[in-house]
Structures are given as C-alpha cells and as structure tokens.
Amino acid sequence: MIKQFYLFIFLVFSVFSFAQDYSVSSIPENLLKNANAVIRESSEDYVLKSVSDMEIKQTTAITILSTAGDQYSLVVIPYNPTTKVSSIKVELYDAYGKLFKTFTKKDFSDYTNNPSSGLYVDDRILVLRPISTKYPFTVKTSYETNTSNTVYLNNFKPLRSYDIAVQKTTFSVLNNSGIKIRTKIKDTPLAKVMHSEEGNLWKYSYENIPAIVEENLAPSIDYLIPKVEFSPEKFTLEGKQGDMTNWNTFGKWYYEKLITPVSAVTPEISAEISALNLSGTTSEKVKTIYQYMQNKTRYVLISMGIGGWQPMPASEVSKKGYGDCKALTNYMRTLLTAAGIPSFYSVIYSDDSVLTFDKDFPKLAGNHVILMVPTEKDPIWLENTSQRVAFNHLSYSSHNRNVLAVKETGIEIIDTPIYQPEESKEKLVGKIKIAEDCSIASEANFEFSGGQYDTNLRLFSLKNDEMIEALKSRHFNLKIDQLSINNLKNDRDHAVINYDLSLKANSFSKKLGNDMFFPVMPYYQATTFSTNDERVLPFETSFPFQDDYELEYSIPNGYVFGEVPASATFSTEFGSYTINFNIKDNKLSVHRILTIKKGIYPKEKFKEYVAFRKKTASNDNTKILISKL
C-alpha cells in the first residue's frame, strides 16, 4: 500500500509538471536575454524496481527562439538490446502555444550509434529533426525507457551548453529496490538545486536560470553548471550484476567482468612479443612494445560490448589492427602482460578543464582510457590512440588530474603528472634580415614540447601544400611572399617536435622619412582580451605554457640602430614576462620569455589578467628604429 501511494505521488508529479502554457509570451523576460532557446519544462523520472529493472520517463519542452537555436530541436533517443524505448511522442507548438504537428516513432530515422561505418555495434539511436518555417516554436518530446542496466542514473544538470535558458527542470528517483543509492550535490553560483525526500521518492528541481554567454577563457561548461550525481551500491550492466559499495568492490568487478574476459594472452600475442627480441630496462622494453603497437594499429571509435565500457578482445585488435581507446589500451596492456610487465587500465576524464574522480563517491564514469605502467621510479603513462604521439607522454587534457587504475584487488585512484609551463614550451631561435624595401628574410628553428607538442602533431597529417597554408595562417600577421618548412621531425622518444622555417615577407618595416621602424616580435600577433563588458563567469588559463624566443636582427648597409629599448621584467599570479635587448656588431639580439600558469580564477580578477596580457602585448609591440647614415 505504501509503495502504491508513493507511485501515485510520483505519477502525479510527472503529469502535472507539464500542464503548461507553451506560448512564448509566458516566458519570463530575463530568460529571453542572450538565449537561443529556452527549456520550458523538463522532467526525468526514474523508478528503480530491482537490481536489474529500471524505468525512466523523460519529457522535455524546449522553445527555439531563432535559427541560432536549431541545434536544440534535434531529438536523439538511444537504445540497445537491453534498453527498450516506448511511448515516443514529439509535438510542435507555435509561438502562441498552439499544437500544429505531431510525430511518433515511425517518423524517426534509425541509425547505428557509431561514427565509424563498417563496424558492428549493438547500440542504436533514433533521430528526428522537427522543422518549422516560423520562429519561435516549441518542441516537446516524451518517451519511456525500460532497462536492465541499472548502473546508469544520469547526472541531473539543468543545462548542458551556453546560450540556453531554463524555466523549469525536474528530476526524481523512486527507489523501490531496497538498494542504497549514493547522492552528491554540487551547487555553483549559477544555481542551487531544490530537493526533497518523501520516503523512497526523491525530487530535485532547478528554476529560472538565465542563459550563460560564453566569455573569453570561460572554463568548461561542466565546471560551471551545478549537478546532482547518483550512484547505486548494487547494479546490473548488460546482465552482469556488480557491487559499487566502494572503489575496491567496484574495481574487482570491473577487472573480473570487463577486463579479464578480453585480455587473454593468445599464442599469436605471445609470438608478437617474442618477435620483438626485447632487451634493456623495463622502460626500454615498454617503449619497444608501445611503438610496435602504434605502428601496427589505428584508432577507430567502437561502441560495442558491455554498454560501450568493455574493450573488444585484445586478440581481435591483434588481428584487425584497429580499436578505440579502450581496445587499444587493453591490447597494449595484454602485450605487456605477455612480456611479464604489469600495467593498469586507467579511466580518466580528458577535458581542457580539470575533472577528477571523488575518492568518496564510487561511480561508473570517465570519458577516456590510458595505460599506467608502474616502475621503480615514476610511472610510465601511455596514450594509445595515436600513431604519432611520443612514448610516456600525456596530452595537456590528461595531466593534472586523477585516473581510476583498475587492478585485480580493486580501483586505485592515482594522480597523473602535473606539467609546469616550462615543460610545455615553444622555443624559437630566429635570424631576421631587414631589407631597405621594408621586406624581411627569416630563417628560424621551432621546437615544441609538452602541450605545445600536442598542438603541433596535426602537422604530420598534412600534405606539404596544406602544411604551408597552415603555417601561413599561423603567422597571419606577416605579409608572407615565400615560405618553406624543412627538417620536420617528431621525436617520439622525448616528445619534441622540430622544424626549420624559411620565409620572406613584405611590408614588415615602415618608412619614416629616411629612417625605418619595425616591431620586435615578428612571428605572432600579440594576444589581448577586452574588459568592455562586466565579467560574469570565472576564467581559466587551462593551457600552461612558456614561449621562449631568441631573435637576431640584421639591418641594411648604411643603417644604424637608434636608442635601444629598455629591458622589462614583471611577474603576476597568472605568469611572468621578460624581454631583453642587446646590440653588438650592428646586430640586435632580442630574448623574450612569456610564461602562463594554469589556473581557474574568480571573475573579479579578470581585469588584472587582462592588464597583465596588455602589458605583455605592449612590450611585444615595441618598435625598433633604424636610421640611415
């Protein structure tokens, strides 16, 4: 009787929350500002019936205000053999809230849920893009899902992107299973959740959240928005029951059910290792195996297996030569196992903003997989999805956070390396000849490490003409007449990219009577930011780096340098800057170092940061005068 009572409350809560006027005139004025769309009302209602039975009812009504909001009209409904979808209905309302079109499941297109064509997957999606020729209009979508995969209780987030406002959104959990569900609430300045508990029924809601405008250096949207997380202590994933009481019980299940079945060291894999004739230290052996794996495989996104969480078997990767991050990491792990070297499959959040796992909140989460190899000294970290990335190098979106290292004894949460700006460097050494016609001829060597190594790896996927165009675009501030790139090298042992750049550019200098003047930093446009508008969001310098430039200028015969500018050095909490000038044998040497630290700062400090970058830009824009004798 008590369960029936709570079920009645649950159904009433779901139904009456949508008895709403969908006319645009009923949207509060503050929600229209800066919005391309407004979530009028949304509900996600879970009924956890048992460890292997969960029902979800979802309804969303969103008003598309203009063509800029068309992306929010797309309806995408996922399903698979263990997740059945029913009662699908999509309704379109005009600006006055009048219903003018209805769609059902037969109107949807049904696709394999995998961007990589030609590969078998068991996840599918239903897709519908409702179209209206008149704006604004409202799309209301409702459907029910029944699934045995009880590990997935979505995070409750009021929104997931910029430029969209929220009138009302609700989330509820009716727990009739007797299973303990762990919850965690994260409020932010954007909004605080309203919540209540009535026996087994938990209700959460957000109301009247204005659209967020993406500002320069805004952190990841996931960092900014509030959320409520859920994690059941007992669960089922694709017919396999698990225990998430703590990270160790969850890790043992993960290792036994997801990793071990796909990690067999087959005779073929043993033969692969034998053929490598491994020798040397552990690190040298790991490098040999890693670069062998890279040369043999390619990355392909695959969403098959247990809910997209289980890798395809290592034996299949060995035969076919492709896989996604899960498959390639597990294949590399299995190769190491065959060589007698232990390593750990490690789940991570890969994102510009740092997202970490909570040591007190076990949950199936993360969006990427890497490999950690313990050694007597520091761990070796392997990114397995790229054929070009260097040994023991993680991208900037994987450092300064933690991973879930899956072991036979459970999950260990381990921190990844923290790259300092000096380890993410562009080193430029250039010689520049200034001609009397104001053009320049330049010979320079560029060297990139750390995160700047990552951003330059794309050069190796370009044809020569594409590479030239890419570098012309990079140095867009120069009026380039000729450009060539030579000695391009990816040092996969030390994570360093080098190349020599030769160029000729016109109109670099400016005439001033018989004299000439030129900017001291030729290769890049100085970066500045505006503080014209009142800052709303915190800001993040997510990419720590250091640019170290050494330049030598030669000038035409019959010219001499004027007064040498004063050197400058200054430092802030955001970073530091130094520039030094020296004249010798009628040549000017300039040494400039800009260092930017990683950090997230309150909005009140944005003006200080802009002032710092304006000061660095001002020094970069220093003009050098040369006079004709």
Side-chain angles (χ1 to χ4, degrees):
M1 190 69 181
I2 292 175
K3 288 185 177 179
Q4 291 175 337
F5 173 71
Y6 282 125
L7 182 59
F8 173 75
I9 292 177
F10 175 79
L11 293 173
V12 169
F13 177 74
S14 301
V15 172
F16 281 94
S17 64
F18 283 92
Q20 177 178 326
D21 171 15
Y22 292 123
S23 65
V24 175
S25 61
S26 64
I27 300 176
E29 189 67 28
N30 69 310
L31 299 185
L32 294 173
K33 184 179 179 181
N34 300 321
N36 295 327
V38 179
I39 297 174
R40 308 299 299 277
E41 203 152 350
S42 171
S43 75
E44 199 166 351
D45 302 318
Y46 286 74
V47 181
L48 184 60
K49 299 177 180 180
S50 72
V51 72
S52 59
D53 189 4
M54 186 165 65
E55 182 181 277
I56 310 162
K57 294 183 178 181
Q58 293 173 267
T59 305
T60 302
I62 183 167
T63 297
I64 313 302
L65 298 174
S66 67
T67 55
D70 276 348
Q71 60 178 310
Y72 302 114
S73 69
L74 183 68
V75 181
V76 178
I77 302 175
Y79 72 99
N80 60 41
T82 59
T83 301
K84 308 299 182 182
V85 180
S86 62
S87 304
I88 297 173
K89 188 176 183 180
V90 178
E91 299 172 323
L92 295 190
Y93 295 82
D94 65 16
Y96 303 101
K98 182 180 178 181
L99 176 66
F100 69 91
K101 197 165 187 179
T102 301
F103 302 91
T104 60
K105 183 179 179 178
K106 65 179 179 61
D107 299 305
F108 281 74
S109 298
D110 192 333
Y111 299 106
T112 296
N113 190 12
N114 182 35
S116 305
S117 59
L119 295 176
Y120 169 77
V121 298
D122 51 16
D123 288 339
R124 301 192 67 82
I125 52 173
L126 298 171
V127 179
L128 174 70
R129 184 180 289 279
I131 297 174
S132 175
T133 57
K134 295 182 180 180
Y135 295 85
F137 67 95
T138 298
V139 181
K140 181 179 179 181
T141 304
S142 60
Y143 61 95
E144 298 178 12
T145 303
N146 190 272
T147 180
S148 61
N149 289 338
T150 56
V151 71
Y152 300 118
L153 274 77
N154 281 342
N155 294 338
F156 177 37
K157 300 179 181 180
L159 49 84
R160 298 176 186 272
S161 62
Y162 293 99
D163 306 318
I164 184 168
V166 176
Q167 195 166 355
K168 185 176 183 181
T169 180
T170 65
F171 191 104
S172 69
V173 179
L174 180 60
N175 184 6
N176 291 331
S177 68
I179 297 169
K180 182 178 178 181
I181 299 177
R182 193 180 286 106
T183 63
K184 183 172 70 170
I185 294 175
K186 173 197 169 186
D187 290 326
T188 72
L190 181 67
K192 289 180 171 54
V193 71
M194 296 175 284
H195 63 100
S196 63
E197 295 184 15
E198 300 172 7
N200 294 338
L201 178 62
W202 304 343
K203 297 188 289 187
Y204 304 85
S205 66
Y206 296 97
E207 293 184 10
N208 297 321
I209 303 176
I212 310 173
V213 177
E214 186 172 9
E215 298 175 311
N216 283 329
L217 301 180
S220 161
I221 190 75
D222 282 333
Y223 174 86
L224 295 170
I225 60 177
K227 65 180 177 181
V228 184
E229 295 182 75
F230 305 88
S231 177
E233 289 197 349
K234 307 290 183 182
F235 64 89
T236 298
L237 179 60
E238 302 294 327
K240 299 180 186 296
Q241 292 189 14
D243 187 325
M244 208 145 44
T245 303
N246 53 55
W247 283 117
N248 282 336
T249 59
F250 179 48
K252 290 176 184 177
W253 175 87
Y254 204 126
Y255 183 88
E256 179 184 343
K257 301 297 183 182
L258 301 191
I259 304 301
T260 301
V262 296
S263 303
V265 178
T266 61
E268 291 79 9
I269 288 176
S270 294
E272 288 182 79
I273 292 299
S274 296
L276 294 177
N277 297 314
L278 299 173
S279 63
T281 64
T282 297
S283 179
E284 289 169 336
K285 292 177 182 177
V286 174
K287 189 196 317 186
T288 299
I289 298 171
Y290 178 66
Q291 294 183 345
Y292 163 77
M293 184 277 298
Q294 285 182 299
N295 294 336
K296 177 179 178 176
T297 62
R298 60 189 174 91
Y299 173 80
V300 176
L301 178 61
I302 306 170
S303 182
M304 64 192 302
I306 301 183
W309 288 91
Q310 184 174 52
M312 64 188 284
S315 57
E316 288 296 301
V317 181
S318 175
K319 292 174 184 176
K320 296 178 179 177
Y322 60 69
D324 62 4
C325 67
K326 303 185 300 296
L328 296 175
T329 295
N330 188 60
Y331 174 51
M332 179 64 197
R333 175 183 168 276
T334 306
L335 288 170
L336 290 173
T337 300
I341 301 172
S343 61
F344 302 110
Y345 183 95
S346 300
V347 182
I348 191 171
Y349 281 111
S350 180
D351 192 271
D352 286 355
S353 296
V354 173
L355 300 174
T356 58
F357 297 102
D358 185 339
K359 295 181 179 181
D360 298 319
F361 197 82
K363 183 182 181 182
L364 184 64
N367 61 9
H368 188 48
V369 178
I370 57 178
L371 195 68
M372 190 272 283
V373 185
T375 69
E376 300 80 6
K377 296 182 179 180
D378 296 326
I380 296 170
W381 295 95
L382 301 177
E383 168 58 66
N384 303 285
T385 57
S386 170
Q387 296 168 298
R388 298 186 177 93
V389 73
F391 170 71
N392 197 17
H393 173 80
L394 292 181
S395 72
Y396 70 91
S397 62
S398 294
H399 74 275
N400 194 37
R401 62 204 68 204
N402 58 25
V403 303
L404 304 179
V406 182
K407 302 183 177 183
E408 186 175 4
T409 55
I411 280 176
E412 183 179 355
I413 298 182
I414 301 174
D415 293 335
T416 60
I418 298 174
Y419 289 164
Q420 300 302 324
E422 296 80 6
E423 298 173 290
S424 186
K425 180 181 285 190
E426 176 183 357
K427 178 70 176 177
L428 190 168
V429 178
K431 293 187 176 182
I432 302 161
K433 293 182 179 180
I434 298 176
E436 198 163 4
D437 65 358
C438 296
S439 66
I440 58 169
S442 166
E443 299 287 337
N445 175 260
F446 291 77
E447 180 180 289
F448 303 93
S449 61
Q452 303 214 54
Y453 170 87
D454 301 328
T455 57
N456 281 274
L457 270 176
R458 65 178 294 271
L459 291 174
F460 293 88
S461 64
L462 303 178
K463 298 176 182 177
N464 188 63
D465 56 339
E466 294 173 330
M467 193 181 306
I468 289 173
E469 289 305 311
L471 291 173
K472 284 183 178 180
S473 177
R474 180 178 295 183
H475 304 294
F476 68 92
N477 56 304
L478 294 174
K479 296 180 179 179
I480 295 174
D481 181 45
Q482 299 177 33
L483 182 147
S484 63
I485 181 171
N486 300 291
N487 303 317
L488 177 64
K489 180 184 178 183
N490 174 17
D491 184 344
R492 289 167 58 194
D493 292 337
H494 302 98
V496 173
I497 288 173
N498 280 281
Y499 61 78
D500 295 322
L501 187 70
S502 300
L503 64 81
K504 293 183 179 180
N506 300 318
S507 304
F508 176 72
S509 304
K510 304 294 181 185
K511 289 284 189 179
L512 187 66
N514 290 327
D515 299 335
M516 297 166 61
F517 65 93
F518 59 88
V520 73
M521 285 290 112
Y523 292 99
Y524 300 107
Q525 187 77 32
T527 300
T528 58
F529 301 94
S530 172
T531 56
N532 293 337
D533 299 323
E534 190 65 29
R535 183 80 186 187
V536 174
L537 302 176
F539 67 98
E540 178 178 22
T541 49
S542 62
F543 188 80
F545 68 90
Q546 184 177 88
D547 290 341
D548 185 343
Y549 301 164
E550 293 184 43
L551 307 175
E552 181 186 87
Y553 287 93
S554 300
I555 56 178
N557 291 331
Y559 283 81
V560 295
F561 286 99
E563 185 178 354
V564 178
S567 297
T569 299
F570 47 91
S571 181
T572 72
E573 65 178 302
F574 315 112
S576 60
Y577 180 91
T578 180
I579 187 166
N580 292 298
F581 304 91
N582 184 51
I583 293 180
K584 185 178 180 181
D585 298 330
N586 210 31
K587 292 183 178 180
L588 172 68
S589 296
V590 182
H591 189 190
R592 174 263 204 186
I593 302 176
L594 171 65
T595 304
I596 298 295
K597 298 177 182 178
K598 181 180 181 65
I600 295 181
Y601 306 93
K603 63 180 181 180
E604 290 78 13
K605 292 193 173 185
F606 189 64
K607 289 184 178 180
E608 295 176 39
Y609 178 75
V610 171
F612 166 61
R613 296 308 301 266
K614 283 184 176 179
K615 192 173 181 180
T616 65
S618 176
N619 279 274
D620 283 351
N621 287 326
T622 297
K623 302 298 190 295
I624 304 296
L625 181 70
I626 56 175
S627 300
K628 193 167 186 178
L629 295 174

